[in-house]
């Protein structure tokens, strides 16, 4: 067999180390399981603009009746406005904010969950302002709060 089919011992060691590193990276880079998975919520991306290391992404978040984002946080700022229906936002300190059409809603910092407890679809127009490459949301453990 040719040399290409039989790696040298040094190459075999490097290839083995690279394989172990790749496997470890795959475990680390794999998305974490949601503490409380979202359901009945569809984020619709509208576009992203990158400026000096900052991504600004516009999205419409559509909440079906009973839909929830699941508990999560954001690294950056997420200002938004509810354009239809009602969304209840519960923070990890169990404070609750209900927003309806025309009401602002923001989501930066503290862990929170957004829920549509109404009987009609709710819409949240949001801007995600993050460092370039950051995920739009990060799963967080559920706070021990009563259901809205």
């Amino acid at each position: 067999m040719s040399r290409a089919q039989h790696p040298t011992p040094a190459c075999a060691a490097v290839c083995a180390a690279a394989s172990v590193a790749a496997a470890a990276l795959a475990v680390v880079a794999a998305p974490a399981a949601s503490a409380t998975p979202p359901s009945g919520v569809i984020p619709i991306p509208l576009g992203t603009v990158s400026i000096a290391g900052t991504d600004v992404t516009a999205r419409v978040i559509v909440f079906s009746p009973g839909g929830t984002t699941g508990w999560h946080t954001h690294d950056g700022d997420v200002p938004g406005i509810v354009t239809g229906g009602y969304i209840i936002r519960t923070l990890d300190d169990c404070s609750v904010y209900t927003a309806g059409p025309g009401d602002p809603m923001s989501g930066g910092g503290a862990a929170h969950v957004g829920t549509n407890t109404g009987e009609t679809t709710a819409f949240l127009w949001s801007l995600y302002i993050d460092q370039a490459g950051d995920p739009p949301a990060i799963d967080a453990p559920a706070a021990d709060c009563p259901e809205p």
Side-chain angles (χ1 to χ4, degrees):
M1 298 193 142
S2 73
R3 184 177 181 110
Q5 293 171 320
H6 291 287
T8 65
C11 179
V14 169
C15 291
S19 295
V20 169
L25 182 59
V27 169
V28 170
S34 295
T36 56
S39 76
V41 175
I42 302 169
I44 301 172
L46 302 176
T48 300
V49 175
S50 296
I51 304 167
T54 298
D55 286 346
V56 179
T57 302
R59 287 190 176 93
V60 175
I61 313 299
V62 180
F63 290 75
S64 298
T68 179
T69 62
W71 283 88
H72 64 282
T73 64
H74 305 278
D75 278 341
D77 293 324
V78 187
I81 187 166
V82 175
T83 60
Y86 290 87
I87 300 169
I88 296 172
R89 181 175 184 249
T90 305
L91 295 176
D92 57 3
D93 66 0
C94 298
S95 61
V96 176
Y97 171 69
T98 300
D103 290 335
M105 183 169 275
S106 65
H112 59 279
V113 61
T115 307
N116 176 3
T117 59
E119 296 180 9
T120 62
T121 301
F123 300 89
L124 175 63
W125 288 69
S126 298
L127 289 178
Y128 292 74
I129 306 167
D130 294 302
Q131 288 186 358
D134 280 356
I138 302 159
D139 290 340
D144 189 20
C145 298
E147 291 290 320

